[in-house]
Structure formats: C-alpha cells, structure tokens
Amino acid sequence: QVQLKESGPVLVQASETLSLTCTVSGFSLTNYGVIWVRQPPGKGLEWMGIIWRNGNTDYNSALKSRLSINRDTSKSQVFLKMNSLQTDDTAIYYCTRVPPNYYSSYIPFDYWGQGVMVTVSS
Amino acid sequence: DVVLTQTPPTLSATIGQSVSISCRSSQSLLHSNGNTYLNWLLQRPGQPPQLLIYLVSRLESGVPNRFSGSGSGTDFTLKISGVEAEDLGVYYCVQSTHAPYTFGAGTKLELK
C-alpha cells in the first residue's frame, strides 16, 4: 500500500531553517521521484523541487537559493531544508511521487501525503 | 520555467451542467519521447490534491468518466460532462514535461 507522510515542526521562527521529512512506504525511492509542493493559506499550489530516482535534484527557480532536498533510501525518507524563512513561507507542505518519464505505466502525482501546516512566526 | 495559464479562475455551475477549463502553456509540452506530460488535479476543501487525468487524456483509476481531457502542444482542456456536487473544489493543471514542473493557478468550481 503506497503512502507518503510529511512530518516536522508546525511553528518556526522567521530567519530560521525549516526541516521536513517525507516518509514513504509501498514503493522505493530508487524507482520514483519525490516532489515537495506547498500551498499558502487560501492560495494555489507551488512546485518546490524534486529528488529524482537517481538522487539528482531540481528546484523551483524562485526558491533555489534557500532550498535543498535530500534522501535516505534505506529509511525511505526524503528531507526538505529551507533556510531564511519569512512569514510568507507559511503554508501547507505536501510531498507526492512521480515515476520517470520513460516508464511505460507513467502515472504521476497519484499519491500524496496529507500535508503538514507550517507557520512562520515573526 | 514553463508558465501554465488557467482560465477561468472561477466557474459557477449547476448540477448536471457541462463545463470546461482551459490550460495554456508558455511552451510546448510535447516531450522528445513523443509523450505530452500534462496532468489535471482536483483539490477538494481541506484535502490534498488528487490526480484526475494524466498524459493529457488518460483517466486515473476510480475517476468517473464524466471527466475528460484533451489538447496538444500548448493548449489543453478539462471537461466535466454533467457536474455533480462532489466535483466542487479547485482544479489545477500541472506539467511534468520540463523541469522544474509547474502548476497552473487553479480554477475554482462553485455551485451556482
């Protein structure tokens, strides 16, 4: 059974670093990429970045200087770190999965975590 | 980065009405492998997004066939043939052809 679950602090101080974990089950991180997506209250979805099945990463251009995504395949965990937080980083943070584009049974974004609401306090 | 423009931003419909949402891309979403990686998600209030359609027109398992997707290149459409109450929420197109992937701004479907 495929599952993704986000975890991390719900309250962070401005200027500090956010650390979130996406723990997955039912599939291998060496077969799927994992994407982080965030959603400020009342607003749309923002693609933050991805760690591909081979461990390479791509980031949203607007967040690239503050964001890093890593993983521990043995623990089936993907980690997000974002520094220099500001109040407009307050959002629900989700993780979801995507297969490589060359998969014959390509179905992206088919499973999502429930999200973790992070509030950045000034 | 690819920009996806969704219209309209808000859609008011009655139950049973058919509606369409447009998603236009700033560049072609046709991949060099011949596939077009344009997908549609629905986010109901208080829920994470869920996949409705992938690869332009393929229906995700369990999604009712009143949903359909079409388009090519830079212009894509999601159609709901006979809106039901459970369809209310915000619809997003998302492209997975070019990294970084990008979302449209969303279309909110409301009851009239």
Side-chain angles (χ1 to χ4, degrees), chain B residues 23-79:
Chain B
C23 177
R24 288 190 169 175
S25 175
S26 61
Q27 58 184 276
S28 176
L29 298 183
L30 177 63
H31 194 277
S32 57
N33 66 10
N35 288 331
T36 300
Y37 296 93
L38 188 284
N39 317 286
W40 291 93
L41 310 173
L42 164 61
Q43 187 176 32
R44 297 187 176 98
Q47 297 295 316
Q50 67 172 95
L51 178 67
L52 294 177
I53 287 174
Y54 59 100
L55 292 171
V56 179
S57 60
R58 298 190 188 183
L59 213 58
E60 165 67 331
S61 176
V63 174
N65 60 13
R66 62 180 178 273
F67 291 93
S68 62
S70 62
S72 63
T74 60
D75 288 346
F76 304 92
T77 301
L78 173 71
K79 182 177 180 180

Side-chain angles (χ1 to χ4, degrees), chain A residues 39 44 47 52 61 101 106 108, chain B residues 1 37 43 51 54 96 100-101:
Chain A
Q39 184 172 39
W47 192 90
W52 302 97
S61 305
N101 280 8
Y106 177 85
Chain B
D1 298 358
Y37 296 93
Q43 187 176 32
L51 178 67
Y54 59 100
S96 48
Y101 298 167

Side-chain angles (χ1 to χ4, degrees), chain A residues 45-93:
Chain A
L45 302 171
E46 181 180 28
W47 192 90
M48 298 183 71
I50 184 171
I51 187 160
W52 302 97
R53 60 189 292 260
N54 63 4
N56 290 345
T57 53
D58 275 299
Y59 300 116
N60 181 320
S61 305
L63 302 173
K64 192 172 186 176
S65 64
R66 302 195 288 137
L67 181 62
S68 69
I69 299 174
N70 293 287
R71 69 182 185 179
D72 183 335
T73 55
S74 67
K75 294 183 178 179
S76 295
Q77 292 181 321
V78 175
F79 310 107
L80 176 148
K81 287 191 189 304
M82 189 163 67
N83 59 30
S84 304
L85 288 182
Q86 299 301 318
T87 55
D88 60 3
D89 292 312
T90 293
I92 299 174
Y93 288 76

